[in-house]
Amino acid sequence: MNIVLLGPPGAGKGTQSERLQKSRGLTQLSTGDMLRQEVASGSELGREAKDIMEAGRLVPDELVVRIVSERLGRGDLANGFILDGFPRTIDQARALDALLKQKGIALDGVLEIRVDDDLLTCLLYTSPSPRD
């Protein structure tokens, strides 16, 4: 099973990904984690991302798509995957569609988690800080 989880930051995508990972044996593919892993590995993609991130800029879609493409090319996704945090934009969605078609990978579903903006804002400003 291959799925995409969509939703705003704080909506619970990571939590639901973990649950699906445990219950279905899927591999969670978080773009943030993939970026950090590439940087830590010292790969060419990681060095490109590191330079951009250290300059305080957003990693461009083209580079994120290359990182996702590389990750989807590894042989450890036999049980399927959950894309968590990708795609975030229409351009990324189009790139993902083309990438999956190129690799012969089908999506089984796209799940959108919707949370009221006021609730997310309330949770953001009322959650205890890690130091509390």
Side-chain angles (χ1 to χ4, degrees):
M1 178 185 312
N2 301 318
I3 62 174
V4 172
L5 281 182
L6 300 175
K13 295 182 303 295
T15 300
Q16 296 309 315
S17 289
E18 287 178 21
R19 289 179 178 173
L20 286 167
Q21 185 176 11
K22 289 177 185 173
S23 68
R24 304 286 180 160
L26 306 176
T27 301
Q28 180 184 12
L29 301 177
S30 161
T31 50
D33 290 346
M34 286 187 279
L35 279 167
R36 286 184 286 279
Q37 289 167 358
E38 284 296 326
V39 169
S41 77
S43 71
E44 180 183 332
L45 289 174
R47 289 189 304 273
E48 286 181 57
K50 181 180 180 182
D51 292 343
I52 292 165
M53 293 184 316
E54 284 181 349
R57 298 188 322 262
L58 292 175
V59 177
D61 288 351
E62 179 269 330
L63 184 53
V64 174
V65 170
R66 285 175 40 212
I67 289 171
V68 170
S69 177
E70 188 279 327
R71 182 61 186 93
L72 289 174
R74 295 185 197 160
D76 63 341
L77 303 176
N79 288 337
F81 60 82
I82 308 157
L83 274 173
D84 170 9
F86 183 85
R88 290 186 189 265
T89 66
I90 296 293
D91 288 340
Q92 286 181 359
R94 288 182 181 129
L96 176 62
D97 189 44
L99 175 66
L100 293 174
K101 186 174 183 177
Q102 172 193 2
K103 291 185 177 289
I105 299 172
L107 285 180
D108 296 296
V110 177
L111 303 174
E112 179 184 17
I113 300 175
R114 292 184 182 181
V115 179
D116 182 82
D117 288 342
D118 291 336
L119 178 59
L120 285 175
T121 304
C122 178
L123 291 173
L124 176 68
Y125 289 107
T126 60
S127 295
S129 82
R131 292 170 284 184
D132 290 343

